[in-house]
């Protein structure tokens, strides 16, 4: 994918996990073929930025030679596995990938959230079909946007996901691309909305977890050199991608305090979402992250989304406060999405600051 700073290479590793040696290899390749910037996305993908068109084929060759290419076919759909899985818990990922591979192509960014662990973690993660638990502990498959889902067993879950994806395609869901938008038109088939999912679990904060420390990346981005230093300090067995713009350092039980990362729940950047903005993104006309950093200390403990344009890529969900770049200035949306009607328009960074503290 081309952006303002060159090509972006996006990887969604199988099971969301990369062994430490492989992650080191990707850091080295990010410096050799890109601009040395790496990102963890809100869909638990890893991105290498600033790759030249000339170097792109060689980068792919080296990634494949290192055994780091995803092996599971996904037919355009991304399968996001909750990062706290244990051994033996991800066989369903391969079954779903195989079932989807037999279908016609799905829209870009169509997602499957595999959230079938003991606690639901992916409730805020963008997805179109969700495999999760109900309050009684049974598995259900649920269309995103529907309050209820269909009971399944581990043996029938993959076929149920494929059946729901087939219904989406056959009822022209590809025209609107996302399941929650599509549900506004046709009704789900009988039997697809009978059981409520379990109550969501709070998104984990940076810090210790049973599998290793969780380390946040400001805006989901870090220099490859800094990530290499983080691995040197933590010595993890593997790195697991999370949809919270954070890395889970599997097996690194010692405290981690590498500079430049988010290590504590109270960090003001923890709830700030900001896309790369201009000039890194050709769709943006504003510098998003300088404004986001300036506002971080002034904001209360609530979600703030600073978007370079109305597409809202960094946080395609509702936020308490959304600041949207437009023609070099900023619009302010309250309790909405980046594409919603703004309450205020054409503001400077200083005026945005005043508006957020009630001086408008």
């Amino acid at each position: 994918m081309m952006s303002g700073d060159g090509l972006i290479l996006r990887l969604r590793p199988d099971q969301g996990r990369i062994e430490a040696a492989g992650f080191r290899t990707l850091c080295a390749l990010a410096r050799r073929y890109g601009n040395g910037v790496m990102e963890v996305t809100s869909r638990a993908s890893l991105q290498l930025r600033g790759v030249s068109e000339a170097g792109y084929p060689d980068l792919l060759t080296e990634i494949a030679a290192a055994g780091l290419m995803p092996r599971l076919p996904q037919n355009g759909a991304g399968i996001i596995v909750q990062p706290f899985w244990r051994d033996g818990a991800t066989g369903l990922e391969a079954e779903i990938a195989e079932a989807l591979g037999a279908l016609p192509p799905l829209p870009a960014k169509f997602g499957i959230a595999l959230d079938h662990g003991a606690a639901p973690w992916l409730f805020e993660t963008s997805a179109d079909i969700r495999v999760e638990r109900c309050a009684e502990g049974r598995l259900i498959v649920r269309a995103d946007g529907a309050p209820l889902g269909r009971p399944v067993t581990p043996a029938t879950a993959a076929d149920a996901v494929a059946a729901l994806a087939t219904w989406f395609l056959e009822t022209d869901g590809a025209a609107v691309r996302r399941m929650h938008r599509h549900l506004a038109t046709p009704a789900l088939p009988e039997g697809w909305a009978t059981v409520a999912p379990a109550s969501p679990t709070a998104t984990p904060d940076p810090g210790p977890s049973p599998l290793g420390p969780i380390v946040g990346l400001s805006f989901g981005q870090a220099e490859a050199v800094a990530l290499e230093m983080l691995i040197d300090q933590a010595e993890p067995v593997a790195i697991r991608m999370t949809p919270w713009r954070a890395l889970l350092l599997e097996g690194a039980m010692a405290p981690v305090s590498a500079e430049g990362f988010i290590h504590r729940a109270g960090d003001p950047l923890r709830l700030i979402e900001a896309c790369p903005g201009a000039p890194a993104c050709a769709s943006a006309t504003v510098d998003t992250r300088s404004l986001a950093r300036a506002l971080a200390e002034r904001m209360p403990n609530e979600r703030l989304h600073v978007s370079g344009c109305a597409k809202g890529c960094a946080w395609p969900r509702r936020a308490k406060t959304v600041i949207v770049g437009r023609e070099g200035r900023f619009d302010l949306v309250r309790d909405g999405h980046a594409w919603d009607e703004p309450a205020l328009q054409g503001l400077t960074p200083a005026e945005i600051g005043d508006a957020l503290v009630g001086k408008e």
Side-chain angles (χ1 to χ4, degrees):
M1 181 176 68
M2 178 60 75
S3 190
D5 56 353
L7 289 169
I8 298 173
L9 175 73
R10 179 179 299 147
L11 291 172
R12 180 176 283 115
D14 298 336
Q15 302 178 350
R17 179 182 186 271
I18 303 174
E19 292 189 359
F23 198 89
R24 284 180 181 277
T25 297
L26 289 174
C27 289
L29 294 176
R31 291 188 285 104
R32 187 184 313 160
Y33 290 102
N35 60 11
V37 174
M38 300 174 72
E39 295 175 323
V40 180
T41 75
S42 61
R43 292 173 182 238
S45 293
L46 183 67
Q47 295 187 161
L48 280 61
R49 296 193 66 97
V51 180
S52 69
E53 291 188 64
Y56 192 78
D58 290 338
L59 172 58
L60 290 179
T61 298
E62 293 215 34
I63 290 175
L68 297 171
M69 281 291 190
R71 295 181 297 277
L72 296 177
Q74 296 182 5
N75 189 24
I79 301 176
I80 306 167
V81 183
Q82 63 97 343
F84 297 113
W85 59 265
R86 299 278 185 172
D87 290 345
T90 56
L92 186 54
E93 181 189 14
E95 295 175 14
I96 291 174
E98 182 178 357
L100 293 177
L103 302 183
L106 289 158
K109 296 188 177 181
F110 194 90
I112 316 296
L114 191 47
D115 199 15
H116 62 314
W121 295 104
L122 303 182
F123 63 98
E124 281 195 329
T125 301
S126 179
D128 298 276
I129 299 176
R130 300 180 181 276
V131 182
E132 52 200 358
R133 301 277 178 183
C134 67
E136 294 77 24
R138 294 177 297 162
L139 276 182
I140 65 170
V141 171
R142 182 170 63 90
D144 186 55
L148 305 176
R150 172 181 171 179
V152 295
T153 68
T156 63
D159 287 341
V161 169
L164 189 54
T166 298
W167 170 84
F168 176 83
L169 292 171
E170 290 179 347
T171 54
D172 296 324
V176 294
R177 307 183 72 83
R178 304 311 307 271
M179 180 69 79
H180 70 276
R181 295 175 188 164
H182 186 51
L183 292 185
T185 307
L188 282 166
E190 185 176 353
W192 276 103
T194 60
V195 180
S199 299
T201 305
T203 300
D205 290 317
S209 86
L211 295 179
I214 298 173
V215 176
L217 283 64
S218 299
F219 314 123
Q221 188 177 91
E223 295 285 341
V225 171
L227 288 166
E228 289 169 320
M229 293 174 65
L230 176 68
I231 295 172
D232 286 342
Q233 182 188 112
E235 298 184 340
V237 173
I239 290 84
R240 298 193 186 198
M241 309 302 116
T242 83
W244 311 305
R245 303 195 187 279
L247 300 173
L248 193 163
L249 306 180
E250 179 187 328
M253 295 305 174
V256 179
S257 58
E259 187 176 350
F261 296 92
I262 299 173
H263 299 286
R264 59 185 179 87
D267 192 299
L269 289 174
R270 183 177 62 89
L271 293 178
I272 308 293
E273 303 287 346
C275 67
C281 177
S283 297
T285 62
V286 294
D287 178 355
T288 55
R289 290 181 175 170
S290 292
L291 177 61
R293 288 184 185 278
L295 294 174
E297 297 287 350
R298 303 179 64 177
M299 292 297 293
N301 192 32
E302 63 184 37
R303 181 76 61 183
L304 168 66
H305 178 196
V306 183
S307 182
C309 70
K311 291 190 292 186
C313 300
W315 187 255
R317 289 173 289 291
R318 184 177 297 275
K320 184 76 172 178
T321 302
V322 186
I323 299 168
V324 185
R326 182 173 58 86
E327 298 177 357
R329 291 202 167 212
F330 297 92
D331 295 343
L332 176 63
V333 176
R334 297 195 183 279
D335 193 21
H337 307 82
W339 51 85
D340 289 339
E341 186 71 22
L344 298 170
Q345 294 180 299
L347 304 178
T348 65
E351 290 169 336
I352 282 285
D354 289 343
L356 293 181
V357 294
K359 296 181 181 179
E360 71 267 39

